[in-house]
């Protein structure tokens, strides 16, 4: 599934990890390279199918 | 060590003012001697640059941050840009109104310094009579507005008897965490205090480990990296952690600090090691091109460069500098004891 990332989210990929700051809780979330590889930085989208991860991203207001 | 270079820090410490209402014997920045404030325009410009470089968090330190005339202006601006904001304060100046505004501006945590559980010890180290009571009052107000509190204690020979009590006290007052800072030989500490002797240090470490077990699941028992490097690798390195959290000393790698005059330094304690100035260059230029940052990231330090844990540790650069060489050995590291 393709999801749009909230425009206020600060995120970047570093050392193989994906770092995202939750706009709701301001927690720094760190995901592994599988999630990092699913990001389209040009369009600010994430194409990922793991329900557990997607639920976290929704809960934290990232998508 | 190419792996230790990331595009921008994760967190940055910003010191907007060097003014302070206390005169702590161990203050690393000699705060209070001058009252230099960063201009509002410069502050906003730097914060904007940090956001453009995708810095996630800013810890506002000092000096005493609440003496900065534009404190809530910068906090509001950081919030507007989506940055996580925390504050390090002595809590003396916190009023009901200030605590309320902190909540309204989504300050996610406040670090409060406490060196004793009674006014005799705390006031002696903080060097202002009556500050203990005012700090406790500030803590009560933070609690009233449910702002997460982390009590911070700098270990020194003066507080060894109190250390255990302070951690219990932190739990009693509902702190979310207690953090132990090593006493680093810079600023006032270099002139006023002796470094903790080995016989006392082992006692601190023993107590720290005991409290870590005692409060497991109830209150986080933390240590600043310089202290953890004296405790043992297992306390700051885990194979379960993401790579980015396994760099040991974060200075110049995942963090840096910005001083009230615009200087960038590797960490908030490494105040004499200037990597650039934000009035002359932009943040990204300095982060990418400072020779000091580059050399720190190489991790080619004396002794450390022969250590199997170099990649995960790197020693404390402030302590190395104290011995005369920023890139020298950290003789206080757990492995050299």
């Amino acid at each position: 599934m393709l999801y749009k990332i909230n425009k206020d989210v600060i995120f970047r990929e570093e050392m193989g990890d994906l770092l995202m700051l939750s706009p709701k809780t301001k927690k720094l979330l760190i995901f592994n390279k599988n999630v990092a590889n699913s990001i389209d930085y040009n369009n600010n989208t994430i194409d990922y199918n793991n329900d557990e991860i997607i639920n976290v991203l929704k809960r934290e207001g990232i998508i | 060590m190419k792996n230790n270079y990331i595009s921008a820090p994760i967190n940055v410490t910003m010191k907007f003012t060097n003014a302070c209402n206390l005169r702590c014997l161990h203050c690393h920045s000699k705060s209070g001697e001058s009252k230099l404030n960063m201009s509002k325009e410069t502050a906003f410009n730097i914060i904007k640059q940090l956001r453009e470089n995708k810095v996630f968090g800013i810890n506002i330190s000092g000096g005493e941050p609440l003496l900065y005339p534009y404190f809530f202006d910068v906090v509001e601006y950081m919030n507007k840009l989506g940055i996580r904001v925390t504050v390090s304060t002595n809590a003396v100046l916190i009023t009901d109104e200030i605590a309320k505004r902190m909540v309204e501006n989504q300050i996610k945590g406040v670090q409060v310094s406490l060196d004793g559980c009674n006014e005799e010890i705390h006031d002696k180290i903080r060097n202002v009579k009556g500050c203990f009571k005012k700090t406790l009052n500030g803590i009560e107000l933070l609690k009233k507005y449910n702002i997460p509190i982390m009590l911070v204690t700098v270990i020194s020979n003066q507080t060894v008897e109190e250390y255990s009590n302070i951690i219990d006290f932190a739990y009693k007052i509902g702190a979310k965490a207690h953090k132990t800072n090593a006493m680093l030989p810079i600023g006032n500490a270099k002139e006023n205090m002796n470094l903790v002797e080995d016989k006392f240090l082992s006692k601190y470490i023993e107590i720290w480990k005991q409290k870590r077990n005692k409060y497991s699941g109830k209150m986080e028992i933390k240590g600043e990296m310089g202290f953890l490097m004296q405790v043992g690798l297992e306390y700051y390195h885990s194979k379960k952690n993401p790579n980015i959290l396994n760099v040991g000393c974060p200075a110049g790698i995942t963090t840096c600090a910005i001083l009230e005059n615009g200087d960038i330094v590797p960490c908030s304690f490494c105040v004499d090691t200037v990597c650039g100035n934000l009035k002359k260059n932009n943040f990204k230029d300095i982060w990418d091109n400072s020779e000091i940052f580059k050399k720190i990231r190489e991790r080619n330090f004396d002794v450390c460069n022969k250590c199997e844990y170099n990649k995960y540790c790197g020693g404390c650069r402030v302590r190395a500098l104290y011995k005369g060489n920023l890139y020298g050995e950290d003789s206080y590291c757990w492995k050299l004891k």
Side-chain angles (χ1 to χ4, degrees):
Chain A
M1 279 284 283
L2 189 68
Y3 299 91
K4 187 83 183 162
I5 298 169
N6 185 334
K7 64 178 173 54
D8 297 325
V9 175
I10 306 175
F11 67 100
R12 58 183 151 113
E13 197 180 326
E14 299 283 5
M15 296 165 87
D17 299 318
L18 174 67
L19 285 72
M20 298 184 127
L21 189 71
S22 160
K24 273 190 185 171
T25 60
K26 296 283 174 75
K27 277 183 198 163
L28 182 66
L29 307 170
I30 304 179
F31 299 101
N32 64 26
K33 65 177 180 182
N34 292 332
V35 186
N37 290 341
S38 67
I39 296 275
D40 179 341
Y41 287 91
N42 293 324
N43 295 309
N44 267 16
T45 55
I46 180 165
D47 190 355
Y48 207 60
N49 289 320
N50 181 315
D51 286 346
E52 198 180 329
I53 300 287
I54 293 301
N55 285 340
V56 170
L57 296 177
K58 282 182 178 172
R59 189 184 69 219
E60 295 291 340
I62 289 170
I63 55 174
Chain B
M1 196 177 285
K2 199 180 172 186
N3 283 346
N4 270 344
Y5 173 67
I6 64 172
S7 64
I10 295 176
N11 288 298
V12 170
T13 297
M14 285 197 75
K15 301 183 177 198
F16 293 107
T17 181
N18 197 37
C20 192
N21 49 336
L22 303 185
R23 294 291 181 274
C24 305
L25 297 177
H26 52 48
C27 180
H28 60 274
S29 60
K30 291 191 167 190
S31 295
E33 284 185 8
S34 70
K35 290 179 181 171
L36 182 64
N37 290 323
M38 186 182 282
S39 75
K40 188 175 164 183
E41 188 190 9
T42 302
F44 273 51
N45 179 279
I46 293 171
I47 294 163
K48 184 167 172 272
Q49 288 187 57
L50 295 180
R51 176 61 182 88
E52 285 166 354
N53 283 284
K54 301 185 178 181
V55 168
F56 298 101
I58 295 175
N59 181 53
I60 305 176
S61 179
E64 170 49 48
L66 294 173
L67 286 173
Y68 183 52
Y70 312 111
F71 176 77
F72 280 110
D73 295 296
V74 296
V75 169
E76 278 173 21
Y77 187 52
M78 289 172 190
N79 246 322
K80 189 180 154 195
L81 297 180
I83 297 169
R84 177 188 163 89
V85 186
T86 53
V87 179
S88 297
T89 171
N90 56 45
V92 165
L93 299 171
I94 293 177
T95 60
D96 195 279
E97 175 63 21
I98 286 174
K100 193 177 167 197
R101 286 188 76 184
M102 283 181 164
V103 173
E104 288 167 357
N105 284 286
Q106 296 185 54
I107 286 177
K108 301 309 282 185
V110 176
Q111 290 189 35
V112 180
S113 318
L114 200 76
D115 293 314
C117 290
N118 65 63
E119 54 187 313
E120 187 190 349
I121 294 175
H122 183 79
D123 289 3
K124 184 182 168 193
I125 293 174
R126 296 279 154 182
N127 215 5
V128 170
K129 203 168 167 50
C131 69
F132 178 75
K133 281 181 184 165
K134 288 176 182 169
T135 293
L136 291 194
N137 181 57
I139 288 170
E140 283 303 313
L141 291 166
L142 293 171
K143 274 171 60 186
K144 178 182 170 185
Y145 288 96
N146 293 318
I147 300 172
I149 301 165
M150 177 160 73
L151 286 192
V152 182
T153 303
V154 179
I155 57 169
S156 64
N157 292 341
Q158 280 87 338
T159 62
V160 68
E161 301 303 324
E162 276 285 286
Y163 181 60
S164 174
N165 295 335
I166 294 172
I167 299 176
D168 292 335
F169 181 73
Y171 181 69
K172 195 175 149 194
I173 63 149
K176 197 178 173 193
H178 178 276
K179 184 167 81 170
T180 299
N181 279 12
M183 210 270 287
L184 295 171
I186 46 168
N188 290 347
K190 200 171 175 180
E191 295 159 15
N192 295 331
M193 301 175 97
N194 296 319
L195 288 180
V196 176
E197 295 166 32
D198 282 349
K199 61 181 178 182
F200 291 117
L201 180 65
S202 57
K203 181 72 180 163
Y204 281 118
I205 290 173
E206 188 188 319
I207 294 168
W208 184 81
K209 287 179 180 174
Q210 282 171 6
K211 300 295 180 188
R212 207 164 173 264
N213 290 332
K214 181 180 175 182
Y215 292 112
S216 174
K218 298 173 186 167
M219 177 178 76
E220 209 176 342
I221 301 295
K222 302 173 83 166
E224 170 265 329
M225 191 56 75
F227 175 70
L228 296 181
M229 283 174 176
Q230 294 178 295
V231 181
L233 185 79
E234 68 266 39
Y235 297 97
Y236 57 97
H237 169 68
S238 165
K239 285 180 178 168
K240 291 178 187 169
N241 283 344
N243 292 335
I244 203 159
L245 298 182
N246 266 331
V247 296
C249 173
I253 298 173
T254 60
T255 192
C256 69
I258 298 169
L259 309 184
E260 61 280 354
N261 61 3
D263 283 346
I264 298 190
V265 295
C267 82
S268 57
F269 299 106
C270 225
V271 290
D272 297 326
T273 306
V274 179
C275 303
N277 186 285
L278 287 161
K279 289 176 185 169
K280 297 174 191 159
N281 294 96
N282 70 46
F283 180 82
K284 185 66 175 162
D285 275 350
I286 299 168
W287 181 256
D288 286 346
N289 300 316
S290 153
E291 290 303 318
I292 295 172
F293 279 149
K294 283 181 184 174
K295 215 165 170 188
I296 283 177
R297 290 166 193 151
E298 284 172 11
R299 286 272 164 96
N300 190 20
F301 308 134
D302 299 344
V303 181
C304 290
N305 58 10
K306 294 179 181 66
C307 176
E308 60 195 301
Y309 307 120
N310 189 19
K311 187 179 174 185
Y312 312 116
C313 180
C316 174
R317 291 306 98 207
V318 180
R319 287 193 293 243
L321 186 60
Y322 173 65
K323 293 280 184 176
N325 180 5
L326 180 67
Y327 311 111
E329 70 169 41
D330 172 10
S331 53
Y332 296 86
C333 128
W334 61 275
K335 210 166 169 244
L336 299 178
K337 291 289 166 193

PDB file of all heavy atoms in Angstrom, chain B residues 280-295:
ATOM      1  N   LYS B 280      29.620  33.239  10.632  1.00  0.00           N
ATOM      2  CA  LYS B 280      30.500  33.309   9.454  1.00  0.00           C
ATOM      3  C   LYS B 280      30.144  32.262   8.405  1.00  0.00           C
ATOM      4  O   LYS B 280      30.300  32.493   7.215  1.00  0.00           O
ATOM      5  CB  LYS B 280      31.954  33.106   9.892  1.00  0.00           C
ATOM      6  CG  LYS B 280      32.477  34.189  10.820  1.00  0.00           C
ATOM      7  CD  LYS B 280      33.877  33.827  11.322  1.00  0.00           C
ATOM      8  CE  LYS B 280      34.304  34.754  12.444  1.00  0.00           C
ATOM      9  NZ  LYS B 280      35.368  34.173  13.266  1.00  0.00           N
ATOM     10  N   ASN B 281      29.743  31.095   8.849  1.00  0.00           N
ATOM     11  CA  ASN B 281      29.448  30.004   7.913  1.00  0.00           C
ATOM     12  C   ASN B 281      28.093  29.393   8.237  1.00  0.00           C
ATOM     13  O   ASN B 281      27.592  29.550   9.345  1.00  0.00           O
ATOM     14  CB  ASN B 281      30.512  28.903   8.009  1.00  0.00           C
ATOM     15  CG  ASN B 281      31.861  29.383   7.546  1.00  0.00           C
ATOM     16  OD1 ASN B 281      32.680  29.791   8.364  1.00  0.00           O
ATOM     17  ND2 ASN B 281      32.100  29.368   6.258  1.00  0.00           N
ATOM     18  N   ASN B 282      27.522  28.659   7.264  1.00  0.00           N
ATOM     19  CA  ASN B 282      26.254  28.015   7.601  1.00  0.00           C
ATOM     20  C   ASN B 282      26.506  26.663   8.264  1.00  0.00           C
ATOM     21  O   ASN B 282      27.613  26.119   8.233  1.00  0.00           O
ATOM     22  CB  ASN B 282      25.329  27.919   6.378  1.00  0.00           C
ATOM     23  CG  ASN B 282      25.809  26.930   5.355  1.00  0.00           C
ATOM     24  OD1 ASN B 282      26.195  25.808   5.680  1.00  0.00           O
ATOM     25  ND2 ASN B 282      25.800  27.334   4.097  1.00  0.00           N
ATOM     26  N   PHE B 283      25.448  26.166   8.872  1.00  0.00           N
ATOM     27  CA  PHE B 283      25.584  24.955   9.685  1.00  0.00           C
ATOM     28  C   PHE B 283      26.109  23.772   8.879  1.00  0.00           C
ATOM     29  O   PHE B 283      27.023  23.056   9.312  1.00  0.00           O
ATOM     30  CB  PHE B 283      24.232  24.604  10.323  1.00  0.00           C
ATOM     31  CG  PHE B 283      24.302  23.375  11.181  1.00  0.00           C
ATOM     32  CD1 PHE B 283      24.763  23.453  12.484  1.00  0.00           C
ATOM     33  CD2 PHE B 283      23.962  22.128  10.672  1.00  0.00           C
ATOM     34  CE1 PHE B 283      24.879  22.312  13.268  1.00  0.00           C
ATOM     35  CE2 PHE B 283      24.076  20.986  11.447  1.00  0.00           C
ATOM     36  CZ  PHE B 283      24.521  21.083  12.750  1.00  0.00           C
ATOM     37  N   LYS B 284      25.542  23.559   7.723  1.00  0.00           N
ATOM     38  CA  LYS B 284      25.898  22.388   6.917  1.00  0.00           C
ATOM     39  C   LYS B 284      27.368  22.415   6.500  1.00  0.00           C
ATOM     40  O   LYS B 284      28.047  21.385   6.514  1.00  0.00           O
ATOM     41  CB  LYS B 284      24.972  22.325   5.697  1.00  0.00           C
ATOM     42  CG  LYS B 284      25.143  21.095   4.827  1.00  0.00           C
ATOM     43  CD  LYS B 284      24.745  19.827   5.543  1.00  0.00           C
ATOM     44  CE  LYS B 284      24.800  18.622   4.602  1.00  0.00           C
ATOM     45  NZ  LYS B 284      24.846  17.355   5.360  1.00  0.00           N
ATOM     46  N   ASP B 285      27.847  23.610   6.162  1.00  0.00           N
ATOM     47  CA  ASP B 285      29.264  23.759   5.793  1.00  0.00           C
ATOM     48  C   ASP B 285      30.170  23.299   6.933  1.00  0.00           C
ATOM     49  O   ASP B 285      31.136  22.574   6.722  1.00  0.00           O
ATOM     50  CB  ASP B 285      29.598  25.236   5.509  1.00  0.00           C
ATOM     51  CG  ASP B 285      29.269  25.608   4.076  1.00  0.00           C
ATOM     52  OD1 ASP B 285      28.978  24.685   3.304  1.00  0.00           O
ATOM     53  OD2 ASP B 285      29.293  26.816   3.768  1.00  0.00           O
ATOM     54  N   ILE B 286      29.849  23.766   8.120  1.00  0.00           N
ATOM     55  CA  ILE B 286      30.696  23.439   9.279  1.00  0.00           C
ATOM     56  C   ILE B 286      30.587  21.949   9.607  1.00  0.00           C
ATOM     57  O   ILE B 286      31.588  21.278   9.833  1.00  0.00           O
ATOM     58  CB  ILE B 286      30.311  24.307  10.501  1.00  0.00           C
ATOM     59  CG1 ILE B 286      30.516  25.791  10.173  1.00  0.00           C
ATOM     60  CG2 ILE B 286      31.137  23.915  11.727  1.00  0.00           C
ATOM     61  CD1 ILE B 286      29.915  26.754  11.181  1.00  0.00           C
ATOM     62  N   TRP B 287      29.361  21.441   9.616  1.00  0.00           N
ATOM     63  CA  TRP B 287      29.149  20.018   9.939  1.00  0.00           C
ATOM     64  C   TRP B 287      29.901  19.106   8.959  1.00  0.00           C
ATOM     65  O   TRP B 287      30.497  18.116   9.356  1.00  0.00           O
ATOM     66  CB  TRP B 287      27.650  19.705   9.924  1.00  0.00           C
ATOM     67  CG  TRP B 287      27.330  18.289  10.268  1.00  0.00           C
ATOM     68  CD1 TRP B 287      26.968  17.293   9.406  1.00  0.00           C
ATOM     69  CD2 TRP B 287      27.350  17.677  11.574  1.00  0.00           C
ATOM     70  NE1 TRP B 287      26.761  16.114  10.088  1.00  0.00           N
ATOM     71  CE2 TRP B 287      26.987  16.326  11.420  1.00  0.00           C
ATOM     72  CE3 TRP B 287      27.644  18.157  12.860  1.00  0.00           C
ATOM     73  CZ2 TRP B 287      26.910  15.439  12.498  1.00  0.00           C
ATOM     74  CZ3 TRP B 287      27.560  17.270  13.926  1.00  0.00           C
ATOM     75  CH2 TRP B 287      27.199  15.936  13.742  1.00  0.00           C
ATOM     76  N   ASP B 288      29.875  19.489   7.685  1.00  0.00           N
ATOM     77  CA  ASP B 288      30.522  18.641   6.657  1.00  0.00           C
ATOM     78  C   ASP B 288      32.030  18.852   6.581  1.00  0.00           C
ATOM     79  O   ASP B 288      32.766  17.905   6.295  1.00  0.00           O
ATOM     80  CB  ASP B 288      29.943  18.942   5.265  1.00  0.00           C
ATOM     81  CG  ASP B 288      28.553  18.386   5.089  1.00  0.00           C
ATOM     82  OD1 ASP B 288      28.144  17.548   5.918  1.00  0.00           O
ATOM     83  OD2 ASP B 288      27.871  18.778   4.121  1.00  0.00           O
ATOM     84  N   ASN B 289      32.486  20.082   6.806  1.00  0.00           N
ATOM     85  CA  ASN B 289      33.869  20.413   6.439  1.00  0.00           C
ATOM     86  C   ASN B 289      34.824  20.744   7.580  1.00  0.00           C
ATOM     87  O   ASN B 289      36.023  20.891   7.343  1.00  0.00           O
ATOM     88  CB  ASN B 289      33.862  21.587   5.453  1.00  0.00           C
ATOM     89  CG  ASN B 289      33.078  21.230   4.194  1.00  0.00           C
ATOM     90  OD1 ASN B 289      33.235  20.130   3.658  1.00  0.00           O
ATOM     91  ND2 ASN B 289      32.220  22.132   3.743  1.00  0.00           N
ATOM     92  N   SER B 290      34.329  20.869   8.796  1.00  0.00           N
ATOM     93  CA  SER B 290      35.239  21.167   9.909  1.00  0.00           C
ATOM     94  C   SER B 290      36.278  20.052  10.035  1.00  0.00           C
ATOM     95  O   SER B 290      35.941  18.862  10.105  1.00  0.00           O
ATOM     96  CB  SER B 290      34.433  21.284  11.217  1.00  0.00           C
ATOM     97  OG  SER B 290      35.253  20.958  12.321  1.00  0.00           O
ATOM     98  N   GLU B 291      37.538  20.449  10.097  1.00  0.00           N
ATOM     99  CA  GLU B 291      38.616  19.456  10.227  1.00  0.00           C
ATOM    100  C   GLU B 291      38.513  18.722  11.559  1.00  0.00           C
ATOM    101  O   GLU B 291      38.860  17.539  11.659  1.00  0.00           O
ATOM    102  CB  GLU B 291      39.992  20.143  10.100  1.00  0.00           C
ATOM    103  CG  GLU B 291      40.299  20.639   8.692  1.00  0.00           C
ATOM    104  CD  GLU B 291      40.236  19.529   7.642  1.00  0.00           C
ATOM    105  OE1 GLU B 291      40.716  18.421   7.908  1.00  0.00           O
ATOM    106  OE2 GLU B 291      39.685  19.782   6.552  1.00  0.00           O
ATOM    107  N   ILE B 292      38.046  19.429  12.587  1.00  0.00           N
ATOM    108  CA  ILE B 292      37.898  18.779  13.902  1.00  0.00           C
ATOM    109  C   ILE B 292      36.835  17.688  13.840  1.00  0.00           C
ATOM    110  O   ILE B 292      37.051  16.562  14.291  1.00  0.00           O
ATOM    111  CB  ILE B 292      37.566  19.826  14.994  1.00  0.00           C
ATOM    112  CG1 ILE B 292      38.744  20.782  15.176  1.00  0.00           C
ATOM    113  CG2 ILE B 292      37.237  19.136  16.325  1.00  0.00           C
ATOM    114  CD1 ILE B 292      38.461  21.964  16.078  1.00  0.00           C
ATOM    115  N   PHE B 293      35.686  18.028  13.258  1.00  0.00           N
ATOM    116  CA  PHE B 293      34.633  17.010  13.114  1.00  0.00           C
ATOM    117  C   PHE B 293      35.144  15.808  12.311  1.00  0.00           C
ATOM    118  O   PHE B 293      34.921  14.656  12.665  1.00  0.00           O
ATOM    119  CB  PHE B 293      33.396  17.595  12.419  1.00  0.00           C
ATOM    120  CG  PHE B 293      32.486  18.382  13.322  1.00  0.00           C
ATOM    121  CD1 PHE B 293      31.747  19.453  12.839  1.00  0.00           C
ATOM    122  CD2 PHE B 293      32.343  18.050  14.675  1.00  0.00           C
ATOM    123  CE1 PHE B 293      30.900  20.184  13.659  1.00  0.00           C
ATOM    124  CE2 PHE B 293      31.502  18.774  15.510  1.00  0.00           C
ATOM    125  CZ  PHE B 293      30.779  19.839  15.004  1.00  0.00           C
ATOM    126  N   LYS B 294      35.834  16.115  11.215  1.00  0.00           N
ATOM    127  CA  LYS B 294      36.333  15.019  10.363  1.00  0.00           C
ATOM    128  C   LYS B 294      37.258  14.104  11.153  1.00  0.00           C
ATOM    129  O   LYS B 294      37.161  12.877  11.076  1.00  0.00           O
ATOM    130  CB  LYS B 294      37.094  15.599   9.159  1.00  0.00           C
ATOM    131  CG  LYS B 294      36.188  16.156   8.066  1.00  0.00           C
ATOM    132  CD  LYS B 294      37.057  16.664   6.922  1.00  0.00           C
ATOM    133  CE  LYS B 294      36.225  17.327   5.847  1.00  0.00           C
ATOM    134  NZ  LYS B 294      37.061  17.938   4.806  1.00  0.00           N
ATOM    135  N   LYS B 295      38.150  14.713  11.913  1.00  0.00           N
ATOM    136  CA  LYS B 295      39.141  13.932  12.651  1.00  0.00           C
ATOM    137  C   LYS B 295      38.480  13.126  13.787  1.00  0.00           C
ATOM    138  O   LYS B 295      38.841  11.977  14.039  1.00  0.00           O
ATOM    139  CB  LYS B 295      40.214  14.868  13.219  1.00  0.00           C
ATOM    140  CG  LYS B 295      41.581  14.235  13.231  1.00  0.00           C
ATOM    141  CD  LYS B 295      42.684  15.236  13.434  1.00  0.00           C
ATOM    142  CE  LYS B 295      43.983  14.490  13.677  1.00  0.00           C
ATOM    143  NZ  LYS B 295      45.080  15.308  14.073  1.00  0.00           N
TER     144      LYS B 295
END
